[in-house]
Amino acid sequence: MNNSVSNTARLLGAGLRALLVLTLVTGVLYPLVVTGIAQALFQDKANGSELKADGRVVGSSLIGQAYNLPLKKGQETPGPDLKWFQGRPQNGLGTNSVNTQYKLILSGATNRSGDNEELVQWVKDAKAAVVKDNSTGAYQVKPSQVPADAVTSSGSGLDPNISPQYADIQVHRVAEKNGLSPDQVRKLVDEHTEGRTLGFMGEPRVNVLELNIALKEIAAKS
């Protein structure tokens, strides 16, 4: 009887020691080592790929955000602030009560089929809006110039990039709204256009937040 109690106590003691060791290794030491390596070698990515402007963090290069005017009384959806380059539509995103200031906390696609009547109408309305918003007295956007990413949301709804084609048709409007020449704005687009990853993966793209930060800087100097 005494031997049985003694063996049980030893087993419990060994189990507790193993639990403490594993807790220390996997719950404290391992996270500290991984965090230390990440901060030492990949600090930018480890901290969320933050982008700064005017000395403060304004967003992440990995998450798209809206550039809208303040919501007016009676409006359900704010209008776009046309002095900025606009990203992809965000029709797939829902609303939430967790964060009412930055509603992109939710992500998701529309989950509608390609022949869904509501989705088809969204695309038609978005295309008409892109043509109207980006046409100026000196430049008229043609419907055939509007690329797919200008009228459809991404799978996550948070795509931070647009195609060079979509950026290009916004150049004249952005230039006019900011008192710049189209050549100045097009140069910004060219400077912020990234090619395919490793030369063959993905498509050429323009990060909208990075482009708008550069636009703000050049507009302030003009």
Side-chain angles (χ1 to χ4, degrees):
M1 182 68 179
N2 289 337
N3 287 337
S4 177
V5 171
S6 178
N7 289 336
T8 301
R10 281 198 298 270
L11 289 173
L12 286 173
L16 287 173
R17 286 193 296 273
L19 176 62
L20 290 173
V21 170
L22 288 173
T23 299
L24 179 64
V25 172
T26 62
V28 179
L29 296 180
Y30 178 74
L32 286 176
V33 169
V34 172
T35 300
I37 292 173
Q39 288 296 325
L41 301 180
F42 313 102
Q43 187 178 43
D44 175 62
K45 292 181 175 61
N47 292 329
S49 300
E50 296 172 340
L51 292 178
K52 294 183 178 180
D54 300 325
R56 64 187 182 88
V57 175
V58 295
S60 168
S61 64
L62 303 177
I63 301 176
Q65 54 183 277
Y67 300 88
N68 293 329
L69 295 168
L71 193 64
K72 296 179 181 179
K73 187 176 181 179
Q75 268 189 328
E76 292 185 4
T77 304
D81 189 341
L82 296 179
K83 74 177 183 179
W84 303 111
F85 281 92
Q86 297 293 312
R88 298 186 64 170
Q90 297 153 356
N91 294 336
L93 299 179
T95 57
N96 71 94
S97 58
V98 178
N99 186 334
T100 57
Q101 193 170 28
Y102 186 60
K103 292 187 177 180
L104 295 189
I105 194 171
L106 295 182
S107 78
T110 61
N111 290 325
R112 288 170 170 78
S113 63
D115 60 353
N116 178 271
E117 292 184 4
E118 188 177 23
L119 178 60
V120 171
Q121 191 60 50
W122 277 351
V123 171
K124 288 181 179 179
D125 293 344
K127 192 170 188 177
V130 168
V131 170
K132 178 183 177 182
D133 289 345
N134 292 286
S135 295
T136 67
Y139 177 76
Q140 181 66 38
V141 176
K142 299 176 182 178
S144 59
Q145 292 177 275
V146 180
D149 62 299
V151 296
T152 57
S153 59
S154 63
S156 68
L158 302 176
D159 190 349
N161 304 311
I162 56 175
S163 65
Q165 292 79 12
Y166 186 24
D168 186 63
I169 65 174
Q170 299 185 60
V171 164
H172 285 80
R173 181 255 299 164
V174 169
E176 183 179 88
K177 295 290 184 181
N178 288 279
L180 301 170
S181 71
D183 288 341
Q184 285 177 293
V185 179
R186 185 168 286 108
K187 184 172 183 290
L188 284 181
V189 172
D190 292 340
E191 291 172 347
H192 289 81
T193 298
E194 299 178 55
R196 291 180 172 88
T197 303
L198 299 179
F200 67 94
M201 291 191 295
E203 296 294 331
R205 58 201 179 275
V206 182
N207 187 284
V208 181
L209 178 54
E210 292 178 355
L211 180 59
N212 279 334
I213 290 173
L215 171 64
K216 183 178 180 181
E217 291 176 355
I218 194 173
K221 297 175 183 177
S222 65

mmCIF file of all heavy atoms in Angstrom, residues 125-146:
data_model
loop_
_atom_site.group_PDB
_atom_site.id
_atom_site.type_symbol
_atom_site.label_atom_id
_atom_site.label_comp_id
_atom_site.label_asym_id
_atom_site.label_seq_id
_atom_site.Cartn_x
_atom_site.Cartn_y
_atom_site.Cartn_z
ATOM 1 N N ASP A 125 -23.065 49.485 -62.406
ATOM 2 C CA ASP A 125 -23.084 50.774 -61.709
ATOM 3 C C ASP A 125 -21.664 51.258 -61.401
ATOM 4 O O ASP A 125 -21.350 52.447 -61.537
ATOM 5 C CB ASP A 125 -23.882 50.670 -60.411
ATOM 6 C CG ASP A 125 -25.366 50.435 -60.648
ATOM 7 O OD1 ASP A 125 -25.827 50.657 -61.782
ATOM 8 O OD2 ASP A 125 -26.065 50.028 -59.692
ATOM 9 N N ALA A 126 -20.808 50.313 -60.976
ATOM 10 C CA ALA A 126 -19.427 50.668 -60.657
ATOM 11 C C ALA A 126 -18.692 51.143 -61.904
ATOM 12 O O ALA A 126 -17.909 52.115 -61.854
ATOM 13 C CB ALA A 126 -18.699 49.470 -60.040
ATOM 14 N N LYS A 127 -18.935 50.504 -63.021
ATOM 15 C CA LYS A 127 -18.275 50.892 -64.271
ATOM 16 C C LYS A 127 -18.701 52.279 -64.714
ATOM 17 O O LYS A 127 -17.864 53.106 -65.114
ATOM 18 C CB LYS A 127 -18.600 49.869 -65.368
ATOM 19 C CG LYS A 127 -17.752 50.017 -66.618
ATOM 20 C CD LYS A 127 -17.972 48.828 -67.529
ATOM 21 C CE LYS A 127 -16.980 48.847 -68.698
ATOM 22 N NZ LYS A 127 -17.123 47.651 -69.561
ATOM 23 N N ALA A 128 -19.991 52.546 -64.601
ATOM 24 C CA ALA A 128 -20.491 53.881 -64.964
ATOM 25 C C ALA A 128 -19.898 54.942 -64.045
ATOM 26 O O ALA A 128 -19.541 56.048 -64.495
ATOM 27 C CB ALA A 128 -22.015 53.903 -64.886
ATOM 28 N N ALA A 129 -19.758 54.625 -62.757
ATOM 29 C CA ALA A 129 -19.193 55.574 -61.797
ATOM 30 C C ALA A 129 -17.720 55.830 -62.077
ATOM 31 O O ALA A 129 -17.242 56.968 -61.968
ATOM 32 C CB ALA A 129 -19.373 55.055 -60.376
ATOM 33 N N VAL A 130 -16.978 54.782 -62.442
ATOM 34 C CA VAL A 130 -15.553 54.939 -62.753
ATOM 35 C C VAL A 130 -15.381 55.841 -63.972
ATOM 36 O O VAL A 130 -14.513 56.725 -63.986
ATOM 37 C CB VAL A 130 -14.901 53.556 -63.001
ATOM 38 C CG1 VAL A 130 -13.508 53.722 -63.615
ATOM 39 C CG2 VAL A 130 -14.801 52.784 -61.697
ATOM 40 N N VAL A 131 -16.194 55.636 -64.996
ATOM 41 C CA VAL A 131 -16.132 56.476 -66.192
ATOM 42 C C VAL A 131 -16.447 57.929 -65.844
ATOM 43 O O VAL A 131 -15.725 58.852 -66.237
ATOM 44 C CB VAL A 131 -17.108 55.960 -67.274
ATOM 45 C CG1 VAL A 131 -17.218 56.964 -68.417
ATOM 46 C CG2 VAL A 131 -16.653 54.611 -67.804
ATOM 47 N N LYS A 132 -17.508 58.134 -65.083
ATOM 48 C CA LYS A 132 -17.919 59.493 -64.719
ATOM 49 C C LYS A 132 -16.897 60.177 -63.815
ATOM 50 O O LYS A 132 -16.507 61.324 -64.068
ATOM 51 C CB LYS A 132 -19.281 59.446 -64.013
ATOM 52 C CG LYS A 132 -19.769 60.810 -63.547
ATOM 53 C CD LYS A 132 -21.090 60.688 -62.789
ATOM 54 C CE LYS A 132 -21.531 62.053 -62.252
ATOM 55 N NZ LYS A 132 -22.800 61.936 -61.469
ATOM 56 N N ASP A 133 -16.456 59.490 -62.761
ATOM 57 C CA ASP A 133 -15.569 60.108 -61.776
ATOM 58 C C ASP A 133 -14.207 60.460 -62.351
ATOM 59 O O ASP A 133 -13.563 61.418 -61.911
ATOM 60 C CB ASP A 133 -15.377 59.177 -60.571
ATOM 61 C CG ASP A 133 -16.627 59.066 -59.712
ATOM 62 O OD1 ASP A 133 -17.529 59.907 -59.868
ATOM 63 O OD2 ASP A 133 -16.706 58.126 -58.889
ATOM 64 N N ASN A 134 -13.740 59.668 -63.311
ATOM 65 C CA ASN A 134 -12.380 59.849 -63.801
ATOM 66 C C ASN A 134 -12.281 60.613 -65.111
ATOM 67 O O ASN A 134 -11.184 60.828 -65.622
ATOM 68 C CB ASN A 134 -11.695 58.485 -63.933
ATOM 69 C CG ASN A 134 -11.444 57.845 -62.582
ATOM 70 O OD1 ASN A 134 -10.566 58.248 -61.842
ATOM 71 N ND2 ASN A 134 -12.247 56.841 -62.248
ATOM 72 N N SER A 135 -13.405 61.031 -65.645
ATOM 73 C CA SER A 135 -13.401 61.858 -66.845
ATOM 74 C C SER A 135 -13.289 63.321 -66.448
ATOM 75 O O SER A 135 -13.947 63.771 -65.508
ATOM 76 C CB SER A 135 -14.681 61.626 -67.665
ATOM 77 O OG SER A 135 -14.735 60.299 -68.162
ATOM 78 N N THR A 136 -12.443 64.039 -67.149
ATOM 79 C CA THR A 136 -12.266 65.474 -66.891
ATOM 80 C C THR A 136 -12.547 66.232 -68.183
ATOM 81 O O THR A 136 -12.833 65.631 -69.222
ATOM 82 C CB THR A 136 -10.828 65.771 -66.426
ATOM 83 O OG1 THR A 136 -9.915 65.524 -67.515
ATOM 84 C CG2 THR A 136 -10.437 64.883 -65.243
ATOM 85 N N GLY A 137 -12.425 67.555 -68.103
ATOM 86 C CA GLY A 137 -12.650 68.363 -69.301
ATOM 87 C C GLY A 137 -11.685 68.039 -70.417
ATOM 88 O O GLY A 137 -12.007 68.161 -71.605
ATOM 89 N N ALA A 138 -10.477 67.610 -70.031
ATOM 90 C CA ALA A 138 -9.439 67.337 -71.027
ATOM 91 C C ALA A 138 -9.245 65.854 -71.305
ATOM 92 O O ALA A 138 -8.463 65.477 -72.176
ATOM 93 C CB ALA A 138 -8.115 67.950 -70.572
ATOM 94 N N TYR A 139 -9.942 65.011 -70.563
ATOM 95 C CA TYR A 139 -9.713 63.570 -70.704
ATOM 96 C C TYR A 139 -11.011 62.824 -70.462
ATOM 97 O O TYR A 139 -11.654 62.997 -69.435
ATOM 98 C CB TYR A 139 -8.641 63.114 -69.706
ATOM 99 C CG TYR A 139 -8.360 61.637 -69.708
ATOM 100 C CD1 TYR A 139 -7.603 61.053 -70.708
ATOM 101 C CD2 TYR A 139 -8.840 60.816 -68.680
ATOM 102 C CE1 TYR A 139 -7.324 59.685 -70.703
ATOM 103 C CE2 TYR A 139 -8.567 59.446 -68.665
ATOM 104 C CZ TYR A 139 -7.817 58.899 -69.680
ATOM 105 O OH TYR A 139 -7.552 57.557 -69.674
ATOM 106 N N GLN A 140 -11.372 61.980 -71.405
ATOM 107 C CA GLN A 140 -12.604 61.210 -71.301
ATOM 108 C C GLN A 140 -12.283 59.727 -71.198
ATOM 109 O O GLN A 140 -11.638 59.154 -72.080
ATOM 110 C CB GLN A 140 -13.496 61.449 -72.527
ATOM 111 C CG GLN A 140 -14.823 60.700 -72.504
ATOM 112 C CD GLN A 140 -15.757 61.174 -71.404
ATOM 113 O OE1 GLN A 140 -15.814 62.372 -71.117
ATOM 114 N NE2 GLN A 140 -16.493 60.262 -70.800
ATOM 115 N N VAL A 141 -12.713 59.108 -70.103
ATOM 116 C CA VAL A 141 -12.500 57.670 -69.928
ATOM 117 C C VAL A 141 -13.541 56.906 -70.750
ATOM 118 O O VAL A 141 -14.731 57.216 -70.707
ATOM 119 C CB VAL A 141 -12.619 57.273 -68.439
ATOM 120 C CG1 VAL A 141 -12.491 55.761 -68.286
ATOM 121 C CG2 VAL A 141 -11.565 57.979 -67.616
ATOM 122 N N LYS A 142 -13.083 55.923 -71.497
ATOM 123 C CA LYS A 142 -13.987 55.079 -72.267
ATOM 124 C C LYS A 142 -14.333 53.832 -71.460
ATOM 125 O O LYS A 142 -13.480 53.310 -70.729
ATOM 126 C CB LYS A 142 -13.331 54.672 -73.590
ATOM 127 C CG LYS A 142 -12.974 55.847 -74.484
ATOM 128 C CD LYS A 142 -12.250 55.364 -75.735
ATOM 129 C CE LYS A 142 -11.846 56.534 -76.617
ATOM 130 N NZ LYS A 142 -11.089 56.077 -77.814
ATOM 131 N N PRO A 143 -15.542 53.334 -71.569
ATOM 132 C CA PRO A 143 -15.913 52.102 -70.842
ATOM 133 C C PRO A 143 -14.955 50.946 -71.106
ATOM 134 O O PRO A 143 -14.692 50.134 -70.214
ATOM 135 C CB PRO A 143 -17.327 51.801 -71.362
ATOM 136 C CG PRO A 143 -17.872 53.154 -71.732
ATOM 137 C CD PRO A 143 -16.700 53.914 -72.282
ATOM 138 N N SER A 144 -14.417 50.873 -72.317
ATOM 139 C CA SER A 144 -13.497 49.784 -72.664
ATOM 140 C C SER A 144 -12.170 49.892 -71.920
ATOM 141 O O SER A 144 -11.403 48.921 -71.864
ATOM 142 C CB SER A 144 -13.230 49.778 -74.168
ATOM 143 O OG SER A 144 -12.660 51.017 -74.586
ATOM 144 N N GLN A 145 -11.874 51.063 -71.347
ATOM 145 C CA GLN A 145 -10.625 51.253 -70.612
ATOM 146 C C GLN A 145 -10.712 50.781 -69.166
ATOM 147 O O GLN A 145 -9.694 50.649 -68.496
ATOM 148 C CB GLN A 145 -10.236 52.741 -70.603
ATOM 149 C CG GLN A 145 -9.835 53.314 -71.950
ATOM 150 C CD GLN A 145 -9.552 54.802 -71.838
ATOM 151 O OE1 GLN A 145 -10.460 55.637 -71.917
ATOM 152 N NE2 GLN A 145 -8.293 55.135 -71.630
ATOM 153 N N VAL A 146 -11.919 50.556 -68.668
ATOM 154 C CA VAL A 146 -12.113 50.214 -67.254
ATOM 155 C C VAL A 146 -11.736 48.752 -67.016
ATOM 156 O O VAL A 146 -12.383 47.849 -67.545
ATOM 157 C CB VAL A 146 -13.569 50.456 -66.823
ATOM 158 C CG1 VAL A 146 -13.752 50.097 -65.355
ATOM 159 C CG2 VAL A 146 -13.952 51.914 -67.067
#
